[in-house]
Amino acid sequence: MWPWIAGFLVIASVLCAAASAQTKPAWADPAKTLRVAFPVAETGFDPQATSDLYSNHVQRAIFDTLYVFDYLARPYKLAPSAAAAMPEIADGGRTWTIRVRPGVFFTDDPAFKGKKRELTAADFVYSWKRLIDPRMRSPFAWILERKLVGVDALIDAARTSGNFDYDAPLEGLQTIDAHTIRIKLKEPDYILRSYLSHGAMAAVAREVVEAYGDESGWVMAHPVGTGPYVLKEWRRGQRIVLEANPGYREDNFPSSGEPGDRELIAQMKGKRLPQIGRIEVAIIEESKPRLLSFNAGELDYMNGPSDLVDTVLNTENNLRPEYAQRGVTLTRATLPSLNYMYFNMEDPIVGGYSKDRIALRRAIVIGFDTPALIRTIYKGQAYPATQPIPPNLPGHDDAWNIRLDYDPAAAKALLDRFGYVDRNGDGWRDRPDGKPLLLMMASATSERDRQFDELWQRSMAALGIRIEFTHQKFPDLLKMGRVGKLQMMRIGWITNYGEGDAFAQLLYSANIGQSNYARFSLPEYDALYRKSRTLPDGAERNALYRKMSELVAAYNPWELGIYTVENTLVAPWVRGYKKHIYQEHAWKYYDVDVDIAARARTKR
């Protein structure tokens, strides 16, 4: 009997396995979990209210924009996402007609009262009006305000009454039918097509905002979108969990790309997206714990911390043997970003446009030891910024350099010349009027931020300048910076819409309170910036960017900072991964081989 029973059990197990294989999900497999880490905490998940990179990563998985950058195409190019086709442009670039893809639905939510809710043109119009609603205080209002025909009167009325009339007709932003948007601009804007891929231009549902919005109209904790994932769990600053959207439209992995993508495409051929059922994001601010988590198989990929790069890469920037032998792959890219330090131009000590204030800022800039920053903190994975627009973006000129080199002797001489001297013999410089010269720099709370602080302190002490630090969580610093409460702050800016405009607009005076943290206001710069938007990419627009760079060099509202190189480590069980500088966490395209992952983790 026993041999027969054993045989029966074997047959039964085979049949069960076969049945399991037949019922295994073809997409959005709940057995597949992708684990990643953010080095900085998120602020929330409202596309029109947030401005930080890490919130945006999550929002892009939940919400849809009309256009996205093609995942595999290089050079990068825009492709329709929630749009049915690329925009139709007429009237010399002033009139844009966009068709919204039919059959796209929001995830189920009580706000819809049991009805299946289709994404329509009206949702985009409503979402874009949220950008310009003064009560929202959106950090990306600049994308549309002052540009749409009739928008000024609508905004002025809202400021007078205290309420924005979302139902008031706006000639510059209309729904022609359920799936057609008409945009009318005061003047051509050649950046608009790229703006349409910006995370802030994603569609939200009015019912959701009205059901869950706070006093400012923000819906940070209850995102409801049409994207591939939904928010399942959120512990602020600690953990974010997403699950695949069961109602996500049919979407397959791209079938064409570069010649080097053949193996990637073969791995993912015909797979419906997303493949992974669950995304778990941990907030791990310190570099060492993040790397240890990756080494232990607890993270599926990670951006290698530059301060620990020598533990991962050799002197030729190749993977060390212990990583290569595990099957880890490395991708490297210069990011479309600028890590800079801004001065608050309205601050009574470092702000202003007089010669003595310019001299103070310039002395601080050339007195900061950028070579040491790159050598000791970034371990060579960065290089000095030469202009506000980073490499590989329209408007960057490899032959152009406005940077002031590190020169502490020249910095001291400049301070002496303009009266920033030690007047009371305490060893520290004072202001020309005899009052103490004290710099206050905002800084986040991680170990790496402390390293930055130490370098700034050493650099300023060498000049005889006292500097102290205001420590807060990064999201809180962003809020303080937008309202002008910080004197100086290190900050990074990265574009996800592929235009040099992303950096030129950082000093446009109309963006004060939004993206212009320096609160820089110069009519000459503003005129150049406005003109740049009306021109296509090319020599004429680049000449304007160059003039804007010259004004940055003349007034020094920034310490220009650095461009960074990002090293991404990918575990051998991850499939579908290709480094994309505009979609850093393109989760819907990824897959994991759970068997390989399980075996690898067991070995550890």
Side-chain angles (χ1 to χ4, degrees), residues 12 29 113 129 151 212 217 252 263 280 290 360 371 412 577:
D29 188 343
K113 303 185 187 307
K129 284 182 175 180
V151 74
Y212 307 111
N252 293 86
E263 182 180 351
E280 295 181 356
R290 284 204 308 278
L360 173 61
K412 291 177 183 178
Y577 182 91

Side-chain angles (χ1 to χ4, degrees), residues 187-189 191 389 400 500-501 503-509 520-536 539-555:
E187 58 185 13
D189 189 338
I191 313 296
I389 298 176
W400 181 238
D501 170 89
F503 300 88
Q505 61 83 23
L506 291 172
L507 292 170
Y508 181 43
S509 69
F520 184 69
S521 181
L522 191 70
E524 185 180 356
Y525 186 97
D526 289 349
L528 291 167
Y529 175 69
R530 285 192 294 268
K531 179 66 174 175
S532 73
R533 293 198 314 250
T534 68
L535 297 172
E540 188 176 358
R541 189 171 76 181
N542 290 347
L544 298 181
Y545 285 146
R546 186 164 179 155
K547 289 180 180 178
M548 284 186 265
S549 292
E550 290 172 347
L551 293 174
V552 174
Y555 288 93

Side-chain angles (χ1 to χ4, degrees), residues 45-46 62-63 108-111 208-209 211-213 219-225 231 234:
F45 309 118
D46 183 329
I62 297 174
F63 298 96
D108 293 339
D109 188 87
V208 172
V209 174
Y212 307 111
V219 187
M220 292 296 217
H222 197 100
V224 178
L231 182 66
W234 181 29

Side-chain angles (χ1 to χ4, degrees), residues 88 97 162 231 234 288 309 336 390 435 447 458 514 562 575-576:
E88 301 166 15
T97 302
L231 182 66
W234 181 29
K288 289 180 180 178
V309 72
K435 295 179 181 177
E447 173 60 31
R458 287 198 303 271
Q514 300 175 45
I562 56 173
R575 302 286 181 263

Side-chain angles (χ1 to χ4, degrees), residues 102 121 153 190 231 310 320 337 467 476 547 590:
Y190 282 87
L231 182 66
D310 50 2
R320 289 191 175 276
S337 67
I467 183 170
D476 295 326
K547 289 180 180 178
Y590 304 163

Side-chain angles (χ1 to χ4, degrees), residues 27 248-249 251-253 271-275 588-589:
W27 68 290
Y248 186 60
R249 61 187 178 270
D251 191 8
N252 293 86
F253 195 85
K271 289 187 177 183
R272 184 174 171 181
L273 307 177
Q275 282 288 302
K588 83 168 183 177
Y589 296 101

Side-chain angles (χ1 to χ4, degrees), residues 166-214:
Y166 282 88
D167 298 312
L170 174 57
E171 184 179 354
L173 194 55
Q174 307 172 45
T175 55
I176 304 305
D177 58 40
H179 294 97
T180 307
I181 305 166
R182 178 71 47 79
I183 302 172
K184 289 188 177 181
L185 302 171
K186 297 178 184 177
E187 58 185 13
D189 189 338
Y190 282 87
I191 313 296
L192 179 60
R193 191 168 72 160
S194 296
Y195 285 156
L196 294 172
S197 71
H198 195 292
M201 300 288 276
V204 302
R206 184 170 184 170
E207 301 97 309
V208 172
V209 174
E210 291 178 349
Y212 307 111
D214 63 15

